[in-house]
Amino acid sequence: MDGCDISLRYVRLGYLKLETINELLQSLYTQGILGPGYLVFLLRVRRSLSRNFSMWVARSGRPKSRSSYSAEQCRRAACESDVFIRYSLVGIQKRSLVRQVKKGFLLSRILMFVREWQMYRAFQTAMTIHKPELVFILGDIFDEGLWCSSAEFDRYVARFNSLFYIPQNTQLYVVAGNHDMGFHYKIIPYLNQRFVNAMNAPSVKRVSVRGNHFVLMNSMALEGDGCFLCKPTEMALNRIAKQLKCTKGIGSSCKSKDILKQYSKPILLQHYPMYRESDEICHEVDEAPANIKSEKFRERWECLSKEASEQLLDIMEPRLIVNGHTHHGCRRIHRENILEFTVPSFSWRNKNNPSFLLGVFTPNNYSVSKCYMPVETTVIGIYIIGSIVVFLYLVLKARRGFNYRRLVKLHP
């Protein structure tokens, strides 16, 4: 029995856990039995079969797969993207490239065009006005990064580069979101490496500019289970933490390569928020709607686990944390002096009143402010009212012209 037969046999066994199928596909791909195209095909098969696992999922206590949702899928699992930070720090949260809709869905195609136009104009306007030195986008760039084929993924990347074009004197960095490669239990090496190669976005990356240290992290790699993604991430974070401590003069096993040019507490940039029970503690203009604000967060799904959050605070000792994922704004303080910003969606598709962060950093201080963009309902209302006014003006003008010609004709 060859690799393909084995994989299909396992996919057909409905009692198998989803992790078992993931481990099998990962093993087959690593051994070279499966090519990238066939791997994506099998992932799509698994996605369609996941509907049949919903009863098993409920019994086992695991949250339902994305295909089992209806309204919650639209609310939480739509698409996203995240922060652009400038030195002047600009922060954007949550926009994502929507998958191309089928022909015939005229309204959907119009909405997709309008909302991508909104993101393009908002981003390019911010670039022109604020001229940021650094831009950070905090994940969920693609809506279907987990399921799309290689050709579709390449088209997504091209669209992203055209919408989020940056001038030569600006640097753009990206972290991964769950829509880019899947939640932790769905990620396989192929999907992770595809995103890393396309966006130059490893699981952990330190960006140091003028004594300010930005640490970018893949939130899905913070499970602490020793998987192919989590173990290297943990090692990289410990290495950065050691560099910071050595630069500060703490530690006896420091080498010259561990000492940075200047010490300052890091700024953490990631996709998931730090652990919190819900959005009830959030009191922002762009906070979550009242009907979902009290809904409890699931650790590792809507936020980091409590354990991972505490470990990050202990190891990295950050001065600021910026994240996204929830589509809504939030601001809270950890341990009396560590500020966390959850930036709302940058897209009208997910948020009626999107916004982004703008900040200025020095090694010893920083200033951050939130910049609000046009409200979708207000813009649409202006267009509707303006169209009505123009239409009435043209009708009245036409009637006046008609009455005038008629008067001239009656009185030659």
Side-chain angles (χ1 to χ4, degrees), residues 228-273:
F228 79 95
L229 193 60
C230 299
K231 189 174 182 62
T233 299
E234 183 178 350
M235 294 174 61
L237 287 173
N238 287 329
R239 185 164 55 251
I240 293 175
K242 180 181 178 181
Q243 291 173 343
L244 292 171
K245 289 180 180 179
C246 289
T247 305
K248 191 178 180 180
I250 300 175
S252 57
S253 59
C254 297
K255 300 178 181 179
S256 58
K257 65 178 182 179
D258 296 327
I259 300 177
L260 306 176
K261 291 183 178 180
Q262 184 176 358
Y263 172 79
S264 67
K265 288 189 173 183
I267 299 100
L268 301 187
L269 304 170
Q270 60 194 29
H271 184 59
Y272 286 177

Side-chain angles (χ1 to χ4, degrees), residues 121-146:
R121 292 310 315 161
F123 184 84
Q124 296 304 331
T125 300
M127 291 294 100
T128 301
I129 294 176
H130 300 297
K131 296 179 175 59
E133 295 182 52
L134 294 179
V135 175
F136 297 99
I137 298 184
L138 301 183
D140 279 359
I141 299 170
F142 312 118
D143 187 28
E144 295 286 343
L146 172 63

Side-chain angles (χ1 to χ4, degrees), residues 250-313:
I250 300 175
S252 57
S253 59
C254 297
K255 300 178 181 179
S256 58
K257 65 178 182 179
D258 296 327
I259 300 177
L260 306 176
K261 291 183 178 180
Q262 184 176 358
Y263 172 79
S264 67
K265 288 189 173 183
I267 299 100
L268 301 187
L269 304 170
Q270 60 194 29
H271 184 59
Y272 286 177
M274 302 292 276
Y275 172 79
R276 60 176 181 258
E277 291 188 356
S278 68
D279 272 344
E280 281 189 299
I281 62 173
C282 307
H283 303 286
E284 297 286 300
V285 175
D286 48 10
E287 65 186 15
N291 61 325
I292 64 171
K293 192 174 180 182
S294 60
E295 291 186 6
K296 299 299 182 182
F297 281 5
R298 300 167 297 175
E299 294 183 46
R300 302 178 176 88
W301 291 76
E302 280 81 41
C303 63
L304 291 179
S305 67
K306 188 173 185 179
E307 180 184 6
S309 300
E310 292 298 324
Q311 287 181 348
L312 277 177
L313 294 174

Side-chain angles (χ1 to χ4, degrees), residues 144-270:
E144 295 286 343
L146 172 63
W147 310 112
C148 65
S149 65
S150 297
E152 288 176 317
F153 186 81
D154 291 340
R155 287 197 293 271
Y156 283 161
V157 173
R159 288 167 65 196
F160 169 82
N161 291 331
S162 65
L163 290 176
F164 290 84
Y165 168 79
I166 56 172
Q168 291 183 351
N169 58 346
T170 299
Q171 300 178 41
L172 184 143
Y173 298 94
V174 173
V175 300
N178 56 288
H179 278 269
D180 300 319
M181 60 179 67
F183 286 102
H184 174 264
Y185 73 97
K186 289 185 177 182
I187 300 175
I188 59 176
Y190 166 70
L191 296 175
N192 173 65
Q193 198 60 43
R194 181 174 70 172
F195 184 83
V196 170
N197 293 341
M199 309 308 298
N200 190 23
S203 295
V204 178
K205 187 171 188 175
R206 175 178 57 84
V207 178
S208 297
V209 180
R210 299 178 190 167
N212 299 280
H213 307 296
F214 299 91
V215 179
L216 287 67
M217 300 177 295
N218 182 341
S219 299
M220 290 78 70
L222 300 177
E223 295 283 322
D225 59 359
C227 71
F228 79 95
L229 193 60
C230 299
K231 189 174 182 62
T233 299
E234 183 178 350
M235 294 174 61
L237 287 173
N238 287 329
R239 185 164 55 251
I240 293 175
K242 180 181 178 181
Q243 291 173 343
L244 292 171
K245 289 180 180 179
C246 289
T247 305
K248 191 178 180 180
I250 300 175
S252 57
S253 59
C254 297
K255 300 178 181 179
S256 58
K257 65 178 182 179
D258 296 327
I259 300 177
L260 306 176
K261 291 183 178 180
Q262 184 176 358
Y263 172 79
S264 67
K265 288 189 173 183
I267 299 100
L268 301 187
L269 304 170
Q270 60 194 29

